[in-house]
Amino acid sequence: EVQVVESGGGLVQPGGSLRLSCAASGFTFSTYWMSWVRQAPGKGLEWVANIKEDGSERYYVDSVKGRFTISRDNAKNSVYLQMNSLRAEDTAVYYCARGGYCTTISCWSLWYWGRGTPVTVSS
Amino acid sequence: QSVLTQPPSVSAAPGQRVTISCSGSSSNIGNHYVSWNQHLPGTVPKLLIYENNKRPSGIPDRFSGSKSGTSATLGITGLQTGDEADYYCATWDSSLSAWVFGGGTKLTVL
């Protein structure tokens, strides 16, 4: 059974940092792109970042570039999101999901998702 | 403003059919596969359709997907009250180098 479990969310002050973790199981982790997606209160889903199977490619939504860093440890079947210089608008539930990349001939849809971890940025 | 455009809401009676549209451009839908996720806030999002029209195991054939040019459509037949949720189209945008979602469509089963 595929499982994706996020952790590390919480309350942080503006300008602060937080590191989210995502532990995956039930599939060959090292052969899949992984993504972070967030949902702010009352808003829709917003993709945040993804990382290639071997970590050699990473992409970010413009609003987090230079502040967030996605990484992975295939030995631990885990993906991480280091969030720095946090702002109130980063407040959201953060989901980890398998997939989130396409080429012109293949696509890795966001297939399996975790339950999410809430992040609140407030003083 | 989302890169992919969906209607904010749709509604229909139980047992009826509804369609949800998703409009994009050549840099996203026009050149990449489209997927659809179902999400009830507070729950785990679920993949309904991948590669334009394929259903993961366990997704009933009441759900269907199609794509034409730079637009995609999700169809749901035999509506049930349990189908009430938010539906999102998504794909890769090669100009933005980003995964993009539609703004989401709230389905109400009257």
Side-chain angles (χ1 to χ4, degrees):
Chain A
E1 179 193 4
V2 172
Q3 284 197 322
V4 177
V5 180
E6 306 93 340
S7 61
L11 173 64
V12 61
Q13 292 188 339
S17 298
L18 213 53
R19 188 192 194 216
L20 305 184
S21 299
C22 168
S25 61
F27 63 96
T28 306
F29 182 80
S30 61
T31 64
Y32 286 93
W33 283 77
M34 295 295 294
S35 288
W36 286 96
V37 176
R38 66 186 179 184
Q39 184 174 37
K43 303 291 187 181
L45 298 176
E46 179 184 40
W47 172 84
V48 175
N50 66 1
I51 186 166
K52 194 176 180 179
E53 300 97 327
D54 61 1
S56 61
E57 291 182 39
R58 313 170 196 209
Y59 300 98
Y60 300 89
V61 68
D62 283 349
S63 59
V64 309
K65 285 178 182 176
R67 301 188 299 122
F68 289 13
T69 301
I70 189 171
S71 61
R72 66 190 296 160
D73 184 338
N74 287 343
K76 295 182 177 180
N77 286 357
S78 294
V79 62
Y80 308 97
L81 187 67
Q82 177 66 43
M83 305 187 295
N84 298 330
S85 303
L86 282 161
R87 307 167 180 167
E89 53 265 36
D90 295 317
T91 294
V93 175
Y94 284 74
Y95 297 95
C96 174
R98 192 187 85 175
Y101 182 74
C102 294
T103 65
T104 52
I105 58 173
S106 300
C107 207
W108 292 264
S109 299
L110 292 170
W111 198 295
Y112 294 106
W113 299 61
R115 294 190 172 276
T117 186
V119 171
T120 302
V121 184
S122 174
S123 54
Chain B
Q1 194 80 357
S2 301
V3 173
L4 305 181
T5 301
Q6 298 180 232
S9 63
V10 296
S11 61
Q16 296 299 303
R17 178 179 184 266
V18 71
T19 60
I20 299 173
S21 61
C22 176
S23 178
S25 68
S26 59
S27 64
N28 42 66
I29 294 178
N31 277 288
H32 299 294
Y33 288 116
V34 175
S35 61
W36 290 87
N37 288 100
Q38 178 193 58
H39 186 215
L40 199 57
T43 68
V44 178
K46 179 190 295 185
L47 180 67
L48 289 180
I49 298 290
Y50 67 102
E51 291 183 3
N52 301 335
N53 55 20
K54 298 178 182 177
R55 284 176 287 107
S57 173
I59 300 300
D61 59 7
R62 300 188 299 106
F63 295 91
S64 64
S66 63
K67 183 183 117 170
S68 179
T70 59
S71 294
T73 301
L74 174 70
I76 311 173
T77 60
L79 278 172
Q80 303 172 1
T81 55
D83 296 331
E84 287 200 332
D86 298 320
Y87 292 83
Y88 296 87
C89 59
T91 187
W92 183 253
D93 189 300
S94 50
S95 293
L96 297 174
S97 292
W99 188 262
V100 291
F101 286 101
T105 299
K106 182 177 181 60
L107 169 63
T108 301
V109 181
L110 302 169

